[in-house]
Amino acid sequence: MFGLYRPKSLDDALEFLSKNAPEVRPIAGGTELLVLLRDKKIPTPKYLLDLSPLKNQLSYVKVEGEVVKIGATTTLYELSKTFLHKDVRFAGFVDTWRKFGTFAIRFSATIGGNIAAATQYSDYITLLLAYDASVRVISVKGERVIPLEHFIVDKRNIRLQPDELIVEVEFPNPPDRTSSSFIKFDRRELLIAGIVTGACYLSLDGSRIRDVKIAFDMVRDKRIPARLKEVEDFLRNREFSEEIIEKASEEVLPASMKRISDWWTSAEYRLDMSKVSLKRGLLRSKTRIERGVI
Ligand SMILES: Cc1cc2nc3c(=O)[nH]c(=O)nc-3n(C[C@H](O)[C@H](O)[C@H](O)COP(=O)(O)OP(=O)(O)OC[C@H]3O[C@@H](n4cnc5c(N)ncnc54)[C@H](O)[C@@H]3O)c2cc1C
């Protein structure tokens, strides 16, 4: 059994962590942690630190200066009620929401929990990598801001000290003529893990690709999402055309991605579907920029 600590404030939570780490595990929505504890996949901690009393401090979506900030305890449902689901520059957030678990899960699951879970199935990691996001963490000793791509080390392995909490995810506010897409492909439509998961961020200047960022699940031998920087470099500053998208998907992507076989499917099929996902993701983002609809 474990004790449950319900902090009065963020400072109280950090004090508790500082005194009791590493025997404390934060719990947000519990949709990942409680399953792992029930199935004895991780050791039972002495305490769970309940983050729900901190919602008045840590649940928000806002723009400050040129930065979009999402509080760690913001649930996916809360996220869906903000500008992130209305503005075409963030369209990939709507795609991700539509493909995420079930409706019940979306009410409890939080952004901070999705990032800290750090698996290839952490869909918001894939999406937020394409937005070049960083993670803000805090402890009694102070704050650190770490690029998301460095924060996730390996499956269930993140750069977070036992006395630290994730408090915020932030990323640059995209310019006009920008949109994104998130594609999760599996054999069925609902409650899927995703044979291939990919996110594209596309920013156009006329028909020139001003900026592009692409992230997929399990790009290399690690079971975590990562960026496809070779494909991005190939596409950036070129005129957007079907030919260039074809070349990026069929030639550059296979050279920069090491797909693996597992229980779900073969590496070959995964690679083929990754090519299709990249083409569709880029074309969908471009259509969204031009038509202004998600
Ligand atoms: C039926 C089902 C379907 C699912 N479908 C999907 C899916 O489609 N896509 C997907 O990505 N995931 C899915 N998940 C996994 C899970 O729902 C998500 O990862 C979710 O975002 C986790 O958030 P949470 O708030 O519930 O985290 P919790 O379960 O509360 O915590 C997860 C981990 O994060 C840590 N943690 C939480 N908050 C913080 C914080 N602020 N600072 C530091 N550490 C923290 C916890 O200690 C724990 O290690 C599914 C789960 C279930 C049960």
Side-chain angles (χ1 to χ4, degrees):
M1 275 307 285
F2 45 76
L4 183 71
Y5 189 73
R6 306 198 79 230
K8 291 175 194 65
S9 64
L10 180 56
D11 286 343
D12 184 21
L14 297 179
E15 286 292 337
F16 185 79
L17 268 178
S18 153
K19 283 190 192 121
N20 296 289
E23 299 191 84
V24 191
R25 200 99 192 200
I27 180 163
T31 59
E32 172 85 8
L33 184 60
L34 291 178
V35 176
L36 292 177
L37 287 174
R38 181 198 64 191
D39 296 347
K40 302 205 183 316
K41 293 265 173 63
I42 54 170
T44 306
K46 193 167 169 193
Y47 301 106
L48 290 187
L49 173 65
D50 183 4
L51 301 185
S52 56
L54 308 182
K55 282 196 72 64
N56 57 348
Q57 280 179 280
L58 296 185
S59 293
Y60 53 82
V61 181
K62 60 186 177 191
V63 180
E64 256 178 32
E66 280 309 301
V67 182
V68 179
K69 300 185 167 195
I70 307 175
T73 59
T74 311
T75 65
L76 308 187
Y77 178 72
E78 288 164 344
L79 206 72
S80 79
K81 297 290 163 200
T82 70
F83 63 87
L84 292 179
H85 276 230
K86 296 183 184 78
D87 185 330
V88 78
R89 293 176 303 147
F90 307 101
F93 278 86
V94 179
D95 294 336
T96 312
W97 152 268
R98 285 184 181 143
K99 284 283 186 176
F100 195 103
T102 61
F103 220 84
I105 294 282
R106 296 177 213 167
F107 275 110
S108 303
T110 65
I111 283 289
N114 197 251
I115 288 170
T119 68
Q120 71 269 35
Y121 311 120
S122 294
D123 290 334
Y124 283 90
I125 294 182
T126 312
L127 178 72
L128 287 161
L129 280 174
Y131 276 89
D132 224 2
S134 296
V135 183
R136 184 177 295 275
V137 305
I138 192 165
S139 73
V140 288
K141 291 177 227 130
E143 275 187 25
R144 301 189 293 142
V145 179
I146 311 137
L148 181 57
E149 64 175 320
H150 300 285
F151 187 68
I152 314 288
V153 181
D154 207 341
K155 186 172 179 178
R156 300 200 200 293
N157 181 359
I158 53 175
R159 288 190 208 283
L160 188 77
Q161 298 302 316
D163 62 346
E164 285 179 321
L165 276 181
I166 299 174
V167 283
E168 193 171 82
V169 187
E170 56 184 48
F171 56 87
N173 197 16
D176 288 344
R177 286 187 63 74
T178 298
S179 192
S180 64
S181 64
F182 172 88
I183 290 180
K184 178 148 102 173
F185 169 77
D186 205 322
R187 292 185 190 84
R188 33 172 230 230
E189 271 300 305
L190 205 69
L191 199 55
I192 62 176
I195 288 174
V196 166
T197 313
C200 295
Y201 169 104
L202 180 70
S203 189
L204 294 179
D205 177 8
S207 57
R208 184 180 66 89
I209 300 176
R210 177 171 45 193
D211 197 8
V212 60
K213 296 182 203 96
I214 299 159
F216 272 80
D217 62 301
M218 293 196 295
V219 168
R220 284 173 265 285
D221 41 7
K222 292 184 178 171
R223 290 181 171 268
I224 46 170
R227 291 266 294 274
L228 286 188
K229 294 210 173 152
E230 295 86 345
V231 182
E232 297 173 5
D233 291 344
F234 171 78
L235 287 169
R236 203 170 287 119
N237 284 320
R238 290 185 189 254
E239 291 294 308
F240 192 106
S241 69
E242 295 224 2
E243 295 73 51
I244 223 65
I245 301 309
E246 186 72 16
K247 196 159 182 204
S249 308
E250 294 297 329
E251 293 174 30
V252 190
L253 177 141
S256 60
M257 194 183 230
K258 182 176 177 293
R259 283 312 208 175
I260 57 164
S261 297
D262 60 12
W263 184 86
W264 298 95
T265 192
S266 67
E268 291 77 14
Y269 186 63
R270 209 169 237 134
L271 183 62
D272 271 351
M273 293 315 296
S274 305
K275 295 178 192 172
V276 175
S277 292
L278 179 61
K279 280 181 230 175
R280 284 194 191 161
L282 289 167
L283 288 170
R284 190 189 286 180
S285 305
K286 177 167 180 277
T287 307
R288 284 170 163 169
I289 293 172
E290 285 168 349
R291 300 207 182 137
V293 270
I294 295 169

